[in-house]
Amino acid sequence: MADGGNTDDRAGDEGRQRPEQPGGNYAGAIYGSLLAASVVAGTATFGPFPRLGLLLLLLITGLVFWAAHVYALLVGDLLSYRHLTWATIRRVAGHEWPIVQAAVLPAVAVAVSPLLRLGLEGTAWFALSVAVAEQIGWASTAAVRAGASLRVVVVSGAVNLVLGLVIVLAKAQLH
């Protein structure tokens, strides 16, 4: 599900459009948080990663995946070619922007880690923790905003915790 199941931003789909969710693209925010956690975990294969390198890698990866999602949404449906406008491109790009935004908090964690007197390894764990917490938070918020029952909210948070823990375990095994 490369586009998070969103058909509401495709040009030419007027008959299938869904109203914009209040609060934005939670799927993009959750995906971006998973991506950020994976970037941090992936750097573990190289040993302690320099702070500036990790910070840039988080932000650049977020931007590249955002651009890929925008491109996939715009050209993935052949109807888009007939009705592609700058307004559509801006709308789709804005809708997918949470993928980039999700990389910001882990990048901030990397940037402030020296103030917390964290070494490079501690910095990576801090950024990974922030990304996983953000992922759980976005998933839970999405469930609450959708009017889900408390049980569904808890299950949503738990599923995202498990996904995050898989990434944490991968980092632990890689390092």
Side-chain angles (χ1 to χ4, degrees), residues 29-41 54 58-59 100-113 116 118 121-139 160-161 164-165 167-168 171:
I30 295 164
Y31 178 83
S33 298
L34 272 163
L35 177 64
S38 298
V39 165
V40 175
L54 181 55
L58 280 163
L59 296 176
V100 177
Q101 289 173 315
V104 172
L105 282 180
V108 168
V110 171
V112 302
S113 67
L116 301 172
L118 295 175
E121 184 64 22
T123 296
W125 283 108
F126 182 43
L128 180 58
S129 299
V130 167
V132 171
E134 183 180 49
Q135 171 193 336
I136 295 165
W138 283 121
N160 278 276
L161 175 60
L165 289 176
I167 295 170
V168 167
K171 181 188 180 337

Side-chain angles (χ1 to χ4, degrees), residues 81-156:
Y81 287 113
R82 288 187 278 170
H83 303 287
L84 191 59
T85 65
W86 283 110
T88 301
I89 293 169
R90 281 190 303 275
R91 187 175 64 250
V92 171
H95 185 263
E96 295 302 308
W97 191 245
I99 293 171
V100 177
Q101 289 173 315
V104 172
L105 282 180
V108 168
V110 171
V112 302
S113 67
L115 300 174
L116 301 172
R117 300 178 192 250
L118 295 175
L120 295 177
E121 184 64 22
T123 296
W125 283 108
F126 182 43
L128 180 58
S129 299
V130 167
V132 171
E134 183 180 49
Q135 171 193 336
I136 295 165
W138 283 121
S140 300
T141 300
V144 168
R145 295 289 302 260
S149 68
L150 178 59
R151 179 175 167 224
V152 171
V153 172
V154 170
V155 168
S156 179

